[in-house]
Amino acid sequence: MSKRINSHDVARKAGVSQSTVSLVLNGRMNARISQQTRERVIEAARQLNYSLNTSARALVTGKTQRISIVLNEPGNFRNHNSFFMDILAGVVDAAVETRYNIVFLSASYPDWRSLFDEIRGGSSDGVLLIGRYSDDPLTIALLDALFPTVCVSYSPNHCYFHSVDCDNELGGRLAMQHLIDLGHRNIAYIHPEESLSWVTERKQGIIQSMQENGVSEETLVCSCTPYLINDQEQSYQELMRVINTASVKPTALIFADEWRAQWLIEKMGEEGIHIPGDFSVVNFNSTILSERAYPPITSVWQPLTDIGQAAFRLLIDILDEKTVPSGIIRYPVRLDVRESTAPLEGAYVD
Amino acid sequence: MSKRINSHDVARKAGVSQSTVSLVLNGRMNARISQQTRERVIEAARQLNYSLNTSARALVTGKTQRISIVLNEPGNFRNHNSFFMDILAGVVDAAVETRYNIVFLSASYPDWRSLFDEIRGGSSDGVLLIGRYSDDPLTIALLDALFPTVCVSYSPNHCYFHSVDCDNELGGRLAMQHLIDLGHRNIAYIHPEESLSWVTERKQGIIQSMQENGVSEETLVCSCTPYLINDQEQSYQELMRVINTASVKPTALIFADEWRAQWLIEKMGEEGIHIPGDFSVVNFNSTILSERAYPPITSVWQPLTDIGQAAFRLLIDILDEKTVPSGIIRYPVRLDVRESTAPLEGAYVD
DNA sequence: TTGTATGCGTTATCAT
DNA sequence: ATGATAACGCATACAA
């Protein structure tokens, strides 16, 4: 293993001082350096195959030119998590235009504190947190420490934060309005923990739509299955239980999360339950997962890639110390009507 | 902005020297530190909310505990690049079990040299390169510099390298054998540049299969469209031109890359061309893209997630200076038969 | 068992 | 226009 080449080596070879090398290679204050020395330094660096040391620079400048993304679960890239992928596409798109690289905090940390230490320890200049719980201790700690942080697709319980999200409430209203328009009155809302802000926001929209349409909100059947329960058989059994024990059997289902809806309706199909014949189904996100489900699912679309881009740019603005208003940037949603919803049999529909 | 807290601050508070703090917090040589001092140091660190500085540690140890992945194209996460995603899933899976984070080299670099400098400048300890050209100058430069590098899904033109790939040649044979079994004799191979190792390896398998079956390899129509041409209309026109100008019109198409096959057959469907009625189609990778195409595509599957895992672990072994044999680790492939292939009309099939 | 001293490779301030 | 020199925060060899 040969010794690493540093700026002193370059300086020696070029016959100048090390600080001159630094000035030249950073392209700063070019006016102050004569053309001759510049060329000599650059040539020496080229000949020695010199690469500037990132850690040393970061140490002295306090800037890494990196932002980090915290992975929520081991399976973040499994199960074709197109929600995460679409956001990431936006983040990467935006990053490509900058001098920032992206570090994935993927290593195993014993607890959130060590992850917090890793983040604050200068692995990156800022962090993007995606779809976490509102009371996530990591989020709270980072915000408390005033570490540059942008929350994507959720809002933490904190007095001051930056977040990029979609209009979940409107999404809930669109979903419910669509089902009501189709004649449905008995509807179930299947969702994970309410400590996920999108779960409650969507629910609020759903209820609001019921009120607007004079439908008693008593008829809404809600069922909560923890977000991280990936046991498909268990989820299916639970869904059947909810449907069968409701005082009035629902004719339509709204799923707060996308992937569970996707494989549950396919599972229902296998079990002889017809979608939308037996149940109309609406879910959220409308990524490729819903688009190419069997049958394709009517879904509330949100501009995930735009959201990812916006989040990255917001973070960069914060790092550049531009004054950015705190709070939530909301992106619009729309309903993509597909084949999983149909008029309620016997219902009168305009 | 309050001053950053460092190990000196912790030392002062704990009434010990800075080096003792370092020893304690690194958990090394625990035996050498008395239980009392240890507790005092840990308590002081906790009270001061101390986080160890990554850059400083990296500077002195020469290790960053990061590996990097070079993004090939801006659109790496667009177009639902499930090839890349599936590999990444494996990499992340494996990384979660280690102390390594993953940095995405996503920033814009004016040329490969500056990217090379970034990599060698200590942004990470090793690098994973995915699906690049065999003569990729960045790959060659890294290998020449003996920088810890693992090539995924390609082999560079270099005397010494580590690579993880699948058995592309067998894949080509399986694809062709399947079509021959269905009675097809006039087949077109649609592929990107031959400087992509998988393109030529698959082609070799195709030709080998033709020889095994006594089919003249003269009948194979090959067409090359550069990999990065994403213009769908242009690609479609080119495909039609190839089909229509062949001396004998092909009855089956083998696509070397997955996504082009996916949207081309859907485009053909829109244009009134029936798959597999008019053409049988086989492609490679067999990710969700082929699985959920209209119609689902018969595809040569490879264990992308396993390959990603293996590549990461190989890189870690190299970093740990374990002795690992150079060359290519090949993973097996299989043919997933779906609805895009059918017996040639009028052909005699066993 | 603990402290002292040095160096990692930069940037940046201040002389010259 | 260029060169000394002092941090940056940590790990580690060596001294005590």
Side-chain angles (χ1 to χ4, degrees):
Chain A
M1 198 58 126
S2 61
K3 177 185 163 303
R4 282 225 30 161
I5 287 164
N6 59 28
S7 50
H8 286 98
D9 300 328
V10 177
R12 201 175 315 120
K13 174 137 193 151
V16 297
S17 78
Q18 181 272 334
S19 51
T20 301
V21 172
S22 177
L23 286 178
V24 170
L25 295 186
N26 282 308
R28 291 151 85 98
M29 326 190 182
N30 273 342
R32 288 179 43 189
I33 304 286
S34 76
Q35 192 61 23
Q36 281 191 21
T37 6
R38 272 197 58 198
E39 282 168 6
R40 274 223 311 287
V41 168
I42 289 173
E43 177 60 17
R46 208 192 54 68
Q47 283 187 20
L48 292 176
N49 241 305
Y50 168 71
S51 314
L52 185 148
N53 185 301
T54 306
S55 302
R57 161 182 281 178
L59 180 58
V60 61
T61 60
K63 260 88 188 63
T64 61
Q65 300 291 358
R66 271 175 257 136
I67 66 112
S68 54
I69 294 181
V70 174
L71 263 32
N72 293 342
E73 3 154 11
N76 247 135
F77 286 87
R78 291 252 181 195
N79 310 322
H80 296 285
N81 188 332
S82 42
F83 166 79
F84 193 82
M85 288 306 121
D86 286 357
I87 289 180
L88 200 54
V91 175
V92 170
D93 270 13
V96 164
E97 300 165 358
T98 69
R99 301 177 44 73
Y100 284 87
N101 286 316
I102 298 170
V103 30
F104 270 45
L105 266 15
S106 53
S108 62
Y109 296 92
D111 51 31
W112 68 263
R113 276 170 205 284
S114 39
L115 185 47
F116 173 77
D117 285 337
E118 170 74 32
I119 294 172
R120 256 215 339 177
S123 67
S124 62
D125 303 332
V127 63
L128 247 35
L129 302 175
I130 301 180
R132 301 180 75 84
Y133 293 87
S134 297
D135 50 6
D136 172 46
L138 175 64
T139 307
I140 308 292
L142 287 167
L143 293 173
D144 281 345
L146 296 177
F147 190 87
T149 302
V150 170
C151 306
V152 185
S153 291
Y154 77 111
S155 344
N157 289 331
H158 199 276
C159 54
Y160 183 82
F161 65 93
H162 296 276
S163 154
V164 185
D165 204 342
C166 72
D167 192 340
N168 283 305
E169 198 168 306
L170 177 58
R173 282 174 60 202
L174 292 178
M176 183 50 99
Q177 187 66 53
H178 174 63
L179 292 173
I180 289 178
D181 289 346
L182 291 172
H184 295 277
R185 290 297 177 274
N186 296 99
I187 293 161
Y189 178 50
I190 318 292
H191 61 82
E193 296 90 327
E194 307 224 8
S195 49
L196 294 158
S197 53
W198 43 276
V199 170
T200 44
E201 288 167 8
R202 287 168 188 177
K203 184 173 180 177
Q204 280 159 14
I206 288 169
I207 289 174
Q208 197 179 330
S209 170
M210 295 177 85
Q211 290 170 342
E212 288 167 2
N213 288 274
V215 177
S216 163
E217 49 186 279
E218 301 295 316
T219 62
L220 185 70
V221 175
C222 291
S223 165
C224 174
T225 314
Y227 195 48
L228 291 177
I229 291 201
N230 288 2
D231 184 318
Q232 308 207 343
E233 184 59 28
Q234 188 181 336
S235 286
Y236 178 74
Q237 296 301 338
E238 171 63 12
L239 176 61
M240 288 302 116
R241 199 192 59 72
V242 170
I243 288 174
N244 292 322
T245 60
S247 57
V248 181
K249 186 173 168 179
T251 62
L253 312 172
I254 302 178
F255 286 88
D257 57 346
E258 185 175 34
W259 69 271
R260 211 185 303 244
Q262 180 257 321
W263 69 256
L264 273 177
I265 75 164
E266 293 185 357
K267 168 79 172 171
M268 289 166 89
E270 289 168 16
E271 300 289 335
I273 300 173
H274 185 251
I275 308 292
D278 295 320
F279 300 99
S280 280
V281 170
V282 182
N283 72 352
F284 287 79
N285 291 1
S286 196
T287 71
I288 193 173
L289 216 58
S290 298
E291 188 186 320
R292 297 200 172 233
Y294 301 115
I297 305 173
T298 296
S299 191
V300 177
W301 178 86
Q302 57 167 313
L304 290 169
T305 301
D306 292 341
I307 288 174
Q309 280 195 15
F312 180 86
R313 291 187 180 137
L314 178 59
L315 184 54
I316 299 305
D317 283 347
I318 293 173
L319 294 178
D320 288 348
E321 291 178 333
K322 294 185 184 158
T323 48
V324 287
S326 72
I328 311 174
I329 298 175
R330 295 264 182 206
Y331 274 70
V333 299
R334 68 157 194 259
L335 186 73
D336 287 340
V337 177
R338 300 203 179 88
E339 298 163 33
S340 67
T341 47
L344 180 63
E345 210 169 329
Y348 173 84
V349 179
D350 287 332
Chain B
M1 201 56 131
S2 61
K3 177 185 166 300
R4 282 225 30 158
I5 287 164
N6 59 28
S7 52
H8 285 99
D9 300 326
V10 177
R12 201 176 315 122
K13 174 139 192 148
V16 297
S17 77
Q18 180 269 332
S19 57
T20 302
V21 173
S22 176
L23 287 177
V24 170
L25 296 184
N26 282 310
R28 290 150 86 97
M29 327 191 181
N30 272 343
R32 289 180 40 189
I33 303 287
S34 77
Q35 193 61 23
Q36 282 191 19
T37 5
R38 270 196 61 199
E39 283 166 7
R40 275 223 312 286
V41 168
I42 289 173
E43 178 60 17
R46 208 191 53 69
Q47 285 187 19
L48 292 176
N49 241 306
Y50 168 71
S51 314
L52 186 148
N53 186 298
T54 306
S55 301
R57 161 181 279 177
L59 180 57
V60 62
T61 61
K63 259 89 187 66
T64 61
Q65 300 292 359
R66 270 175 257 135
I67 67 110
S68 55
I69 295 182
V70 175
L71 263 32
N72 293 342
E73 2 154 11
N76 245 134
F77 286 86
R78 292 253 182 193
N79 310 322
H80 295 283
N81 189 333
S82 42
F83 166 79
F84 193 82
M85 289 305 123
D86 286 356
I87 289 179
L88 200 54
V91 174
V92 170
D93 270 12
V96 165
E97 300 165 0
T98 69
R99 301 179 42 76
Y100 283 87
N101 287 317
I102 299 170
V103 31
F104 269 45
L105 266 14
S106 52
S108 61
Y109 295 92
D111 51 30
W112 70 263
R113 277 171 205 283
S114 40
L115 185 48
F116 173 77
D117 285 337
E118 170 73 33
I119 294 172
R120 257 212 343 172
S123 66
S124 62
D125 303 331
V127 63
L128 247 34
L129 302 174
I130 301 180
R132 302 181 73 84
Y133 293 86
S134 297
D135 48 7
D136 172 46
L138 174 64
T139 307
I140 307 294
L142 286 167
L143 294 172
D144 281 346
L146 296 178
F147 189 86
T149 302
V150 170
C151 306
V152 184
S153 292
Y154 77 111
S155 341
N157 289 332
H158 199 274
C159 52
Y160 183 81
F161 65 94
H162 297 276
S163 153
V164 185
D165 204 343
C166 73
D167 191 340
N168 283 305
E169 197 168 309
L170 177 57
R173 281 173 60 204
L174 291 177
M176 183 51 102
Q177 187 67 53
H178 174 63
L179 291 173
I180 290 177
D181 288 347
L182 290 172
H184 295 276
R185 290 298 176 274
N186 297 98
I187 293 162
Y189 179 50
I190 317 291
H191 61 81
E193 295 92 326
E194 308 225 6
S195 49
L196 293 159
S197 55
W198 43 276
V199 169
T200 44
E201 287 167 9
R202 288 168 187 177
K203 182 172 180 177
Q204 280 159 12
I206 288 169
I207 289 174
Q208 195 180 331
S209 169
M210 296 178 84
Q211 290 168 343
E212 287 167 3
N213 288 275
V215 176
S216 164
E217 49 186 279
E218 301 296 317
T219 62
L220 185 70
V221 176
C222 291
S223 163
C224 174
T225 314
Y227 196 48
L228 290 178
I229 290 202
N230 289 2
D231 184 319
Q232 307 206 344
E233 184 59 29
Q234 188 182 338
S235 285
Y236 178 75
Q237 295 302 339
E238 171 63 12
L239 176 62
M240 287 303 115
R241 198 193 58 73
V242 169
I243 289 174
N244 292 322
T245 60
S247 57
V248 181
K249 186 175 170 181
T251 63
L253 314 171
I254 300 178
F255 286 89
D257 57 349
E258 186 176 33
W259 69 270
R260 210 184 303 244
Q262 180 258 321
W263 68 256
L264 273 176
I265 73 164
E266 294 186 356
K267 167 80 170 171
M268 288 165 89
E270 290 167 16
E271 300 289 334
I273 300 172
H274 185 252
I275 308 292
D278 296 321
F279 299 98
S280 280
V281 169
V282 182
N283 72 353
F284 287 79
N285 291 1
S286 196
T287 71
I288 193 174
L289 216 61
S290 298
E291 189 186 321
R292 297 200 172 233
Y294 301 116
I297 306 173
T298 296
S299 190
V300 178
W301 177 85
Q302 57 167 313
L304 290 169
T305 300
D306 293 341
I307 288 174
Q309 279 195 17
F312 180 86
R313 291 188 179 135
L314 179 58
L315 183 53
I316 299 305
D317 283 347
I318 293 172
L319 294 178
D320 287 347
E321 291 180 333
K322 294 185 184 157
T323 47
V324 288
S326 71
I328 311 175
I329 299 175
R330 295 263 184 208
Y331 274 69
V333 298
R334 67 157 194 260
L335 186 73
D336 287 338
V337 178
R338 300 202 180 89
E339 299 164 31
S340 68
T341 47
L344 179 63
E345 210 170 329
Y348 174 84
V349 179
D350 286 333

